[in-house]
Amino acid sequence: MNLAAAKAALAHLDLDENPASVKSKSRDFFWYSPVLKARLDHVVADFVVSPRSEAEVIEVLRTCYAHDVPVTVRGAGTGNYGQAMPLAGGCVMHLKHLDKIREIAPGRVVAEPGIVIRELDAQTRAASGQELRMMPSTAATATLGGFIAGGSGGVGSVRWGALRDLGNIIRLRVVTMEAEPQIHEFTGEELHRVSHAYGTNGIITEIEMPLAPAYDWVSGFVTLPDFEMAAAFGAALAAEDGILLKLVTVCEAPIAEAYFQRFKGHVTPEDTTAIVMVAPHAMPAFETFLARWPAAKLIFRSDAPDWARDPGPAYEYGWNHTTLRALKVEPRITYLQVRYHGPDYLETIARVRAHFGSELMQHLEVMRENGQIIYAGLTLVRFTTEERLEDIVRIHEDMGAMIFNPHRYTLEEGGRQSADARQLAFKREADPKGLLNPGKMIAWDVPDWSYETIYAYAGMRAAQ
Amino acid sequence: MNLAAAKAALAHLDLDENPASVKSKSRDFFWYSPVLKARLDHVVADFVVSPRSEAEVIEVLRTCYAHDVPVTVRGAGTGNYGQAMPLAGGCVMHLKHLDKIREIAPGRVVAEPGIVIRELDAQTRAASGQELRMMPSTAATATLGGFIAGGSGGVGSVRWGALRDLGNIIRLRVVTMEAEPQIHEFTGEELHRVSHAYGTNGIITEIEMPLAPAYDWVSGFVTLPDFEMAAAFGAALAAEDGILLKLVTVCEAPIAEAYFQRFKGHVTPEDTTAIVMVAPHAMPAFETFLARWPAAKLIFRSDAPDWARDPGPAYEYGWNHTTLRALKVEPRITYLQVRYHGPDYLETIARVRAHFGSELMQHLEVMRENGQIIYAGLTLVRFTTEERLEDIVRIHEDMGAMIFNPHRYTLEEGGRQSADARQLAFKREADPKGLLNPGKMIAWDVPDWSYETIYAYAGMRAAQ
């Protein structure tokens, strides 16, 4: 790695070498995980470059390739798996300047990766009454490119499924890291080469996404006396095909009372809560549905607010904002990402909950998967030791719940614990020196890895 | 019944007594059924009145109430269950003049019942880029009020479920037939009093419906070599939550070759066809899906048409347009309405098909029901005798397929073979003399009816 030469060659770009800001731009939200915090807290890049165009992206990649400097791409750094942590140092490429919308049409938008999702939605809404089908709960700061490279779904998945499902990304334009970087346009099956690949095999420079109508979604908060009833309520609500929803979150008691500051006085420690986003024209049907569940109480609706302090949008209580709010109050809290599907998914959830008691707090998000209603669990965990956390993961798996382990920084360990042949094959082509986000793809480093212990990237730069 | 007095009192309205046009306006599409044709072909009203406002609707109802004249409401008369046939004669109230749109807003429209659905969609599209969530295949002529009073779903149900599912109708304004007709506004659970009630317990004068985005839907025709593969293909396509669809129709061979004139030369008698409507921005994902089914061939797409003669929109090959095209070619053809759901619905379809062989031709429409993908069957039947048709219905039911019998003119027999307590209770209130569309609600006429034989309304006017 010839850092000095690379920096000199890139000096005419927006280059940041200030130690404090380089350190801050070398971090994402890995610290949700005590396991990752112990391993990644010291990680820092050598410099940050923020290209202003695709041409400058290509220049950065060509230059860093020539000087063997690793390049880790980032957006807002809201990922929780250490997706944007530059394990081997080198260059962090920040895409904040690539924030333009190129085209808005019925049902789709073409944009640059660095645009903040809330800003994108504001622009598409103003221009066409449309917005993205789905977004992370961090939409206020997260970028579109970061969501595609590091995310998997979120607010909107109750209707549209996961980000990688057919049709939820239309086209990606990708630059490779070679002596002479190449540009590829990917659609269809090819999208899987680079979506959710953490920037390990190319840099996304343009994105075409489907759009859905942008309604003035009503945030609704519902209390229920019982968790299993609430889980059944959420699933039944989402199964109403005629009630247009954007979010259905279920939080076991006492999550709302204990961690949602603005809920104080409106909920008790015994209240399970369901948090929903409903299209305004579906509110009458939602009220009709609610009346069929006499134990469910609608305690807040944003179209007729009656709390002294505005609680803000519903989606900032769902997905990983639930975790964020909990760990701000109770720092030992971390979480799991669980998938409950199959015909008995509600029973699986009940069994898991009964097994663990208060060590876990159940937090569920409705998703669609293969045309079915399923639950993602973003279970809150009262962390004690890494060993116990491993036990908790194993017990979930033994009980039939699938885990996407958020205490791992590699694609494989955070995913399905197996190599993705398409991502690996494209990395061979697009990143022959293995300089893109090093240490995140085990299949590249150690092809015969057994997954028996947590992977420790050998090239990780030591704490200084 | 004092016809003369009623006609005299209504003479200042748009009143039609011309025998030829009264006869024509006394008919709907009951003749799809040889059973109904044998029983209803002679049915004719005494006069037709076409009110120009809700006030005139009220005047008609008040006047006919005073003179004991039955009133059967109609739109375009595209129903196949004899919904609009005036069994006891009297007055047909034609709502063609009530065709105004009152309000278009994000996600909803308020309109009068007599508006033709295609015209409504054209206006909402022009004003706001929106259209109805679902429509019958007869949208070119069918009215909105007729769809709600006599229909159950259709093109769009692949995404939104059935018309009576929560959220698919927002509000109905209804006038009763009393000495002094009353106006009711129904939402929520109350909608079920009058939706799909054939106008037996009130006249709908205003309708608020949810809207969805109006895309330039691409009509696609796909051939597959095998029916069971095609049924699996259609269900798998609809289960792709990220591929926005409006129609997925499956027609067993040789339906397309034998009955779809414009398909000649493009299909063989061995081709099963899948007929789809796909949002333009979902076409790349649809093509990706198609490529996963190597035996499926896309033989036509309306965004790149290459047939010498335009086949017209896909939806005019689906739902009951499939039947219409078939019986135009082969007049002995009639149909069944089947519902295949539950975990083994594809196996049920295969079993039914194997049992009947060429006596039936399978025609399937994907729907959503309770958040699940299911199939409606609009099975083509080579009619022989009424007795055999009864056998066919019974065999379906014995094999686990639910039948909505389109060879019956009563609400109960065409539905779930049981009285609808809500509709009956409201009829007691809204139509105390039993003058609204008489003979269509068995529960009103014969509360203890056993459903062992086909119901024959005692008040049916004899052929003249």
Side-chain angles (χ1 to χ4, degrees):
Chain A
M1 165 158 54
N2 187 341
L3 270 173
K7 286 195 284 188
L10 299 172
H12 63 291
L13 303 184
D14 179 358
L15 193 74
D16 185 352
E17 299 183 72
N18 175 292
S21 68
V22 169
K23 176 156 189 176
S24 128
K25 290 173 189 163
S26 297
R27 296 167 76 81
D28 62 18
F29 285 3
F30 70 97
W31 46 265
Y32 276 45
S33 162
V35 177
L36 297 185
K37 186 157 173 60
R39 284 160 181 77
L40 304 185
D41 206 34
H42 68 286
V43 165
V44 62
D46 294 295
F47 65 94
V48 176
V49 64
S50 303
R52 295 183 183 280
S53 64
E54 183 184 77
E56 289 191 2
V57 169
I58 291 170
E59 185 178 352
V60 170
L61 293 169
R62 185 195 294 118
T63 302
C64 289
Y65 180 89
H67 300 294
D68 298 315
V69 175
V71 174
T72 298
V73 67
R74 69 170 282 145
T78 54
N80 306 109
Y81 286 73
Q83 291 100 319
M85 300 297 289
L87 304 186
C91 170
V92 158
M93 183 156 62
H94 199 310
L95 294 185
K96 63 185 175 185
H97 296 315
L98 292 173
D99 64 350
K100 308 300 178 297
I101 291 182
R102 299 252 172 85
E103 183 190 356
I104 299 170
R108 58 192 185 81
V109 63
V110 180
E112 293 179 334
I115 190 165
V116 171
I117 289 171
R118 191 143 83 183
E119 174 59 24
L120 181 147
D121 274 357
Q123 290 188 38
T124 53
R125 178 187 283 258
S128 69
Q130 301 181 99
E131 65 188 16
L132 290 174
R133 288 177 169 181
M134 66 188 75
M135 62 181 184
S137 68
T138 50
T141 55
T143 65
L144 179 60
F147 185 41
I148 286 169
S152 57
V155 186
S157 290
V158 64
R159 183 138 197 102
W160 296 101
L163 193 49
R164 298 186 88 191
D165 288 349
L166 279 179
N168 285 332
I169 304 171
I170 297 175
R171 182 176 56 84
L172 295 173
R173 184 175 166 98
V174 176
V175 178
T176 65
M177 189 170 187
E178 304 174 68
E180 194 48 56
Q182 304 295 305
I183 295 173
H184 295 269
E185 298 268 0
F186 290 148
T187 60
E189 305 287 2
E190 297 168 330
L191 293 167
H192 295 294
R193 295 179 180 175
V194 293
S195 69
H196 200 77
Y198 294 1
T200 57
N201 57 10
I203 305 301
I204 297 166
T205 56
E206 189 176 277
I207 298 163
E208 184 168 346
M209 293 291 277
L211 296 177
Y215 296 112
D216 293 329
W217 300 98
V218 178
S219 292
F221 304 142
V222 176
T223 58
L224 295 114
D226 174 73
F227 175 77
E228 287 182 35
M229 183 195 291
F233 171 91
L237 174 59
E240 291 288 346
D241 302 295
I243 300 183
L244 186 56
L245 303 165
K246 189 150 180 171
L247 180 75
V248 177
T249 302
V250 174
C251 293
E252 184 178 4
I255 291 174
E257 194 276 337
Y259 308 126
F260 299 169
Q261 301 298 329
R262 304 252 166 132
F263 281 55
K264 298 276 187 219
H266 302 289
V267 290
T268 73
E270 287 71 43
D271 283 332
T272 296
T273 47
I275 295 162
V276 300
M277 289 171 70
V278 182
H281 55 286
M283 282 302 287
F286 174 65
E287 291 173 75
T288 306
F289 176 85
L290 260 180
R292 295 178 182 176
W293 294 74
K297 307 291 177 205
L298 183 62
I299 61 169
F300 178 83
R301 53 188 290 174
S302 62
D303 59 344
D306 58 355
W307 288 7
R309 300 173 69 204
D310 177 11
Y315 66 83
E316 292 189 341
Y317 294 89
W319 292 90
N320 241 336
H321 261 65
T322 315
T323 318
L324 181 64
R325 290 182 189 272
L327 66 80
K328 278 184 177 171
V329 175
E330 194 174 332
R332 68 169 164 160
I333 283 179
T334 186
Y335 80 115
L336 294 176
Q337 289 249 199
V338 195
R339 188 67 58 93
Y340 300 104
H341 45 197
D344 303 322
Y345 71 108
L346 291 177
E347 288 77 5
T348 305
I349 294 168
R351 272 204 317 281
V352 166
R353 176 167 175 263
H355 179 86
F356 286 103
S358 67
E359 185 177 14
L360 306 187
M361 284 169 282
Q362 299 299 322
H363 160 210
L364 303 173
E365 296 285 348
V366 178
M367 294 186 67
R368 292 215 182 221
E369 182 184 76
N370 281 329
Q372 308 271 339
I373 305 297
I374 67 156
Y375 268 122
L378 285 82
T379 315
L380 300 183
V381 179
R382 292 195 164 99
F383 180 75
T384 50
T385 67
E386 289 196 12
E387 292 67 31
R388 178 58 186 162
L389 192 58
E390 294 307 295
D391 282 347
I392 293 171
V393 167
R394 188 185 43 71
I395 293 166
H396 274 79
E397 290 170 343
D398 289 348
M399 294 178 102
M402 184 179 174
I403 298 279
F404 299 97
N405 195 333
H407 307 285
R408 300 290 186 269
Y409 57 77
T410 61
L411 286 162
E412 291 92 340
E413 294 169 301
R416 290 166 191 271
Q417 311 234 15
S418 60
D420 183 319
R422 294 174 295 194
Q423 291 185 344
L424 176 62
F426 186 61
K427 186 171 175 71
R428 291 206 178 99
E429 177 182 339
D431 180 27
K433 286 188 175 178
L435 292 169
L436 284 172
N437 206 352
K440 302 296 174 63
M441 190 191 285
I442 298 178
W444 177 268
D445 298 338
V446 186
D448 58 351
W449 181 254
S450 70
Y451 301 102
E452 279 163 20
T453 57
I454 180 169
Y455 180 70
Y457 172 48
M460 173 120 51
R461 182 183 284 186
Q464 292 169 340
Chain B
M1 167 156 55
N2 187 340
L3 271 173
K7 285 194 285 187
L10 298 173
H12 62 293
L13 304 185
D14 179 357
L15 192 74
D16 186 352
E17 298 182 73
N18 175 292
S21 69
V22 169
K23 176 156 194 192
S24 130
K25 290 172 189 164
S26 297
R27 296 167 75 80
D28 63 16
F29 285 4
F30 69 96
W31 44 266
Y32 276 45
S33 161
V35 177
L36 296 186
K37 186 157 172 57
R39 284 161 180 76
L40 305 185
D41 206 34
H42 69 285
V43 165
V44 62
D46 294 296
F47 65 93
V48 177
V49 64
S50 303
R52 297 185 182 280
S53 65
E54 183 183 76
E56 289 191 1
V57 168
I58 291 171
E59 186 178 352
V60 170
L61 293 169
R62 186 195 294 119
T63 302
C64 289
Y65 180 90
H67 300 293
D68 298 314
V69 175
V71 174
T72 298
V73 67
R74 69 169 282 145
T78 54
N80 307 108
Y81 287 73
Q83 292 100 320
M85 301 296 289
L87 304 187
C91 170
V92 159
M93 183 157 60
H94 199 310
L95 295 185
K96 63 184 176 185
H97 296 315
L98 271 68
D99 63 351
K100 309 298 178 298
I101 291 182
R102 299 253 171 83
E103 183 190 356
I104 299 170
R108 56 192 187 80
V109 63
V110 179
E112 293 179 334
I115 191 166
V116 171
I117 289 173
R118 190 143 86 184
E119 175 59 23
L120 181 148
D121 274 358
Q123 290 189 38
T124 54
R125 178 187 283 256
S128 70
Q130 302 180 98
E131 65 188 15
L132 290 175
R133 288 177 169 181
M134 65 188 76
M135 62 182 185
S137 68
T138 49
T141 54
T143 65
L144 179 60
F147 186 40
I148 287 170
S152 58
V155 185
S157 290
V158 63
R159 182 135 198 105
W160 296 101
L163 192 50
R164 297 186 89 189
D165 288 349
L166 279 179
N168 286 333
I169 303 170
I170 296 175
R171 182 177 56 85
L172 295 173
R173 184 175 166 97
V174 176
V175 178
T176 65
M177 190 169 187
E178 304 174 69
E180 194 48 55
Q182 304 295 303
I183 294 171
H184 295 269
E185 297 269 357
F186 290 148
T187 60
E189 306 286 2
E190 297 168 332
L191 293 167
H192 295 294
R193 295 179 180 177
V194 292
S195 68
H196 200 77
Y198 296 1
T200 56
N201 56 11
I203 305 301
I204 298 167
T205 56
E206 187 177 276
I207 298 164
E208 184 168 346
M209 292 291 278
L211 296 177
Y215 296 112
D216 294 328
W217 300 98
V218 178
S219 292
F221 304 144
V222 177
T223 58
L224 294 113
D226 175 75
F227 175 76
E228 287 183 35
M229 183 194 293
F233 171 90
L237 173 60
E240 291 288 346
D241 302 295
I243 301 183
L244 185 56
L245 302 166
K246 190 151 179 172
L247 180 75
V248 177
T249 303
V250 174
C251 293
E252 183 179 4
I255 291 174
E257 195 274 338
Y259 308 125
F260 299 168
Q261 302 297 331
R262 304 254 166 131
F263 281 54
K264 297 275 187 218
H266 302 290
V267 291
T268 72
E270 287 72 43
D271 284 331
T272 295
T273 46
I275 295 163
V276 299
M277 289 172 68
V278 183
H281 56 285
M283 282 301 288
F286 174 65
E287 292 173 74
T288 307
F289 176 85
L290 260 181
R292 294 178 181 175
W293 294 74
K297 308 292 176 205
L298 183 62
I299 61 168
F300 178 84
R301 51 188 291 175
S302 63
D303 59 345
D306 59 356
W307 287 8
R309 299 173 71 204
D310 177 11
Y315 67 82
E316 291 190 341
Y317 294 90
W319 292 89
N320 242 338
H321 261 64
T322 315
T323 317
L324 181 62
R325 289 182 190 271
L327 65 81
K328 278 185 178 172
V329 175
E330 194 174 332
R332 68 171 163 160
I333 284 179
T334 186
Y335 79 116
L336 294 177
Q337 288 249 200
V338 195
R339 187 67 58 92
Y340 300 103
H341 46 196
D344 304 322
Y345 71 107
L346 291 178
E347 287 78 3
T348 305
I349 294 168
R351 270 204 319 280
V352 167
R353 177 168 174 262
H355 179 86
F356 286 103
S358 66
E359 185 177 13
L360 307 187
M361 285 170 281
Q362 299 298 322
H363 161 210
L364 302 172
E365 296 286 345
V366 178
M367 294 187 67
R368 294 216 180 220
E369 181 184 77
N370 281 328
Q372 309 270 340
I373 306 295
I374 67 155
Y375 269 121
L378 284 83
T379 315
L380 300 184
V381 179
R382 291 195 166 100
F383 180 74
T384 49
T385 66
E386 288 196 13
E387 294 67 32
R388 177 58 186 164
L389 191 59
E390 293 307 294
D391 282 347
I392 292 171
V393 167
R394 186 186 44 72
I395 293 167
H396 274 79
E397 290 171 343
D398 289 348
M399 295 179 100
M402 183 178 174
I403 298 278
F404 298 97
N405 195 335
H407 306 285
R408 299 289 185 271
Y409 56 76
T410 62
L411 286 161
E412 293 92 340
E413 293 169 300
R416 292 168 188 271
Q417 311 233 17
S418 61
D420 184 318
R422 294 174 295 196
Q423 290 184 346
L424 176 62
F426 186 61
K427 186 172 175 71
R428 291 206 178 98
E429 179 182 338
D431 179 27
K433 286 189 176 175
L435 292 169
L436 285 171
N437 206 352
K440 303 296 174 63
M441 189 190 286
I442 298 178
W444 178 268
D445 298 337
V446 187
D448 58 351
W449 182 254
S450 69
Y451 301 103
E452 280 163 21
T453 55
I454 180 169
Y455 180 71
Y457 173 50
M460 173 118 53
R461 181 182 286 186
Q464 292 169 340

